[in-house]
Amino acid sequence: MNRIRINSAEGRSLLILGGTVDDIMPLLPGKGLFIITDTNVRKLYGNSFPGGEVLSGEAGEGSKTMQTVEGLCRKLLDAGADRSSFILGFGGGVVCDIAGMVASVYMRGVRHAFVSTTLLSQVDASIGGKTGVNLGEYKNIIGTFRQPEFVLCDHSMLRTLPDEEFRSGMGELFKHGIIRDRNLFFDISASAEKLEERDPAVLGDLILRAVRIKAAVVRRDPLEKGMRRILNFGHTFGHVLETHHRIPHGLAVAQGMIIAGELSVWKGEMPHAELRLMQVALENAGMIGGYPLPAGVTSMIARDKKSESGSVNFVLLNSVGKAVTRKLSITELQAFVNYYTEKDSQSQQ
């Protein structure tokens, strides 16, 4: 078991990697515990839940709405939850987003923590204090920053993940290597067989290294004013693909990383050989599908939360392992979209 602490001006968070629910029992309150989860997780792990009132909703991205947040706040109020109550989000990325959002707004904020049950949430969604729900086709456009008191990542829970969900988590795992650690990228690529088998030792090592990257970035920039933006690599295009094609988040991010890599080459930031290196690794991992950008993608991105005063903050690459942020005007973005769409169309013929 490994413990990593995130201490920043915006709060403190303890990350427990490789532990079990037993390891968090001393960190939970003696009373006033409310567990937010989904129906799938409750079926799998309900017997492992600590003692507390369980509030469960439907699994899936469709639950990430303000209506869900309002409904849970109403249930908390009806159950007598007050400002001394404690919310434990028990599930994957969607559950962590919703539970974190509820905890940050209910009675102007109550204590909370997560038990992270998916690869995607263990390497990304549960860590760093970002919460968010969707507004129609716009991902995470309503949200807050609020650090969980702790996050438990029990790697044994990854054995129950469907293959598609596991590959989705691989998208975020790869992302951390691509933006910050070239050796991690190569080690993930070389571990395909062991990862396919859900080897706990290999998974534990790779997750630990990815989480260390995210924790270091969050410590320096907890509110995403600068450096933390690199964690959004692949997400600007990925969110559009995820919503339009209704594909899992991490798979959309993988495709989005390839498009952002194309943009990096187009802008002269990165050699084409580095893009090809990334393409081969993600293709070999079964993470790249033929998902074209939809019409109107530029206007969708222009209304994304990463846009500012007529330009968009994009994360690009100088090489695999080194990300940079650049501002692109909407006009420049449209020129790239035209170039990429034509190139993608020709490759499909």
Side-chain angles (χ1 to χ4, degrees), residues 138 236-237 240 293-304 307 310-312 314 328-341:
Y138 296 99
T236 305
F237 288 112
V240 172
L293 288 174
V297 61
T298 301
S299 62
M300 295 178 200
I301 291 174
R303 298 174 70 180
D304 186 270
S307 62
S311 62
V312 180
F314 260 94
L328 269 70
S329 69
I330 300 301
T331 301
E332 191 174 17
L333 173 60
Q334 184 62 60
F336 168 73
V337 169
N338 293 343
Y339 157 81
Y340 177 81
T341 302

Side-chain angles (χ1 to χ4, degrees), residues 264-311:
S264 302
V265 174
W266 186 78
K267 284 282 293 177
E269 294 280 354
M270 181 173 74
H272 188 271
E274 293 290 296
L275 170 62
R276 187 60 188 151
L277 183 68
M278 188 167 61
Q279 285 176 319
V280 170
L282 293 175
E283 286 170 359
N284 288 344
M287 302 181 63
I288 302 300
Y291 301 110
L293 288 174
V297 61
T298 301
S299 62
M300 295 178 200
I301 291 174
R303 298 174 70 180
D304 186 270
K305 59 187 179 297
K306 303 174 192 70
S307 62
E308 296 177 0
S309 304
S311 62

Side-chain angles (χ1 to χ4, degrees), residues 72-193:
L72 286 166
C73 287
R74 171 62 64 182
K75 289 179 180 179
L76 287 168
L77 190 63
D78 291 345
D82 57 27
R83 296 190 75 177
S84 69
S85 299
F86 191 107
I87 290 175
L88 181 67
F90 203 119
V94 171
V95 167
C96 292
D97 267 338
I98 293 170
M101 181 77 170
V102 169
S104 68
V105 298
Y106 183 72
M107 293 193 174
R108 297 193 176 95
V110 297
R111 298 168 62 199
H112 77 294
F114 300 133
V115 175
S116 179
T117 62
T118 68
L119 180 57
L120 189 147
S121 64
Q122 291 192 10
V123 298
D124 188 69
S126 67
I127 295 164
K130 283 171 70 172
T131 79
V133 295
N134 305 331
L135 184 63
E137 62 186 348
Y138 296 99
K139 286 271 298 178
N140 300 328
I141 206 73
I142 304 171
T144 63
F145 287 93
R146 186 174 177 84
Q147 291 287 351
E149 291 193 7
F150 64 81
V151 179
L152 169 67
C153 299
D154 182 346
H155 305 325
S156 69
M157 292 180 175
L158 303 182
R159 289 197 294 264
T160 63
L161 279 182
D163 288 344
E164 187 176 59
E165 285 301 317
F166 187 80
R167 284 198 302 275
S168 179
M170 287 286 293
E172 292 287 1
L173 186 61
F174 263 113
K175 181 200 72 179
H176 286 83
I178 288 169
I179 63 171
R180 202 73 178 159
D181 187 337
R182 192 176 179 89
N183 288 334
L184 175 58
F185 167 80
F186 283 121
D187 287 346
I188 297 169
S189 303
S191 301
E193 187 174 329

Side-chain angles (χ1 to χ4, degrees), residues 201-213:
V202 173
L203 269 172
D205 174 64
L206 296 176
I207 292 170
L208 174 62
R209 291 162 66 185
V211 169
R212 280 175 173 162
I213 289 170

